[in-house]
């Protein structure tokens, strides 16, 4: 158990809908990262928050947004869902801002039908 | 951006065999991690190793940052070692992984 929690574990929804994925980092970790793992794109970095502030963006679509709250948990919002958004979404956390080991949560498996 | 290449892409071993997985990267790194993704999809930290050598039981890893590669050694492999091994660098950029299957 990495100490990073993600909810829900599984999510099935229809095209055009909006969903919210939740992540709680390890105790003491200030950084939260989101990743998407799909069959054709592999594991891709989406976005990084440090202590409530956005630090870096990766291959995140405009239909997706995220935030980190004062209690350091984070939410990833996915809207206008398409079939191609079906994937495993991981959250990771680390202590520091840049140069620290990341620990991954169990992931949320999103299926868009 | 930085490119991360892993080899071999697929590997089949008999239980008890040893193996070496390689990760090449195209630029300098300040973070490097090795992960094992088990058949249930969970990403398990193996090593945080931006440089140097570390060992943990049957696993060890070496990163030679100046030559832009890292190696993961698995000794006396077990069926529970099956899964995909990823190298990831910096923030993180993942390689495409090595799919390992250990057979009895």
């Amino acid at each position: 158990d990495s100490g990073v929690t993600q909810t829900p574990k599984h999510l099935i929804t229809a095209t055009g809908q909006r969903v919210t994925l939740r992540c709680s980092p390890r105790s003491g970790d200030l950084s939260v990262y989101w990743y998407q793992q799909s069959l054709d794109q592999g594991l891709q970095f989406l976005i990084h928050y440090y202590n409530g502030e956005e630090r870096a963006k990766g291959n995140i679509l405009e239909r997706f947004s995220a935030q980190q709250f004062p209690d350091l948990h984070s939410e990833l919002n996915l809207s206008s869902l398409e079939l191609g958004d079906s994937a495993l979404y991981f959250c990771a956390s680390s202590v520091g801002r840049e140069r620290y080991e990341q620990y991954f949560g169990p992931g949320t498996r999103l299926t868009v039908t | 951006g930085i490119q991360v290449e892993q080899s071999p892409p697929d590997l089949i071993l008999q239980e008890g065999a040893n193996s070496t997985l390689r990760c090449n990267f195209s630029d300098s790194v300040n973070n490097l991690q090795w992960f094992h993704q088990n058949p249930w999809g969970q990403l398990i930290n193996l090593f945080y190793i931006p440089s140097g050598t570390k060992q943990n039981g049957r696993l060890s890893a070496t990163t030679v940052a100046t030559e832009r590669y890292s190696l993961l050694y698995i000794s006396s492999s077990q069926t529970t070692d099956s899964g995909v091994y990823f190298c990831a660098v910096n923030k993180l950029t993942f390689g495409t992984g090595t799919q390992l299957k250990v057979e009895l």
Side-chain angles (χ1 to χ4, degrees), chain A residues 16-27:
Chain A
Q17 296 299 303
R18 172 189 171 95
V19 297
T20 298
L21 313 183
R22 183 187 170 101
C23 167
S24 292
R26 295 186 318 155
S27 177

Side-chain angles (χ1 to χ4, degrees), chain B residues 17-103:
Chain B
N18 302 328
S19 62
T20 301
L21 282 55
R22 188 176 178 101
C23 171
N24 291 331
F25 40 93
S26 60
D27 205 345
S28 60
V29 299
N30 53 23
N31 281 338
L32 191 147
Q33 290 186 242
W34 282 96
F35 296 92
H36 174 215
Q37 188 166 35
N38 64 23
W40 296 271
Q42 187 178 4
L43 276 167
I44 300 163
N45 285 37
L46 297 177
F47 294 102
Y48 174 75
I49 188 165
S51 63
T53 297
K54 290 186 178 181
Q55 180 157 6
N56 184 5
R58 297 181 296 104
L59 303 181
S60 63
T62 295
T63 297
V64 184
T66 53
E67 296 188 21
R68 298 182 182 171
Y69 73 89
S70 182
L71 302 174
L72 177 69
Y73 305 96
I74 304 174
S75 64
S76 304
S77 58
Q78 301 175 359
T79 55
T80 52
D81 295 331
S82 296
V84 184
Y85 289 80
F86 289 103
C87 163
V89 302
N90 296 345
K91 201 185 275 283
L92 301 162
T93 299
F94 280 78
T96 52
T98 292
Q99 176 87 51
L100 173 65
K101 184 176 182 180
V102 181
E103 299 177 334

Side-chain angles (χ1 to χ4, degrees), chain A residues 33-50:
Chain A
Y33 309 79
W34 287 97
Y35 295 86
Q36 178 193 58
Q37 186 177 30
S38 58
L39 284 175
D40 56 345
Q41 295 290 325
L43 262 158
Q44 295 209 317
F45 165 68
L46 296 179
I47 197 163
H48 169 208
Y49 279 85
Y50 175 79

Side-chain angles (χ1 to χ4, degrees), chain A residues 76-91:
Chain A
L76 179 67
N77 300 296
L78 314 176
S79 61
S80 302
L81 286 167
E82 302 175 358
L83 295 177
D85 298 328
S86 296
L88 195 51
Y89 291 85
F90 287 104
C91 165

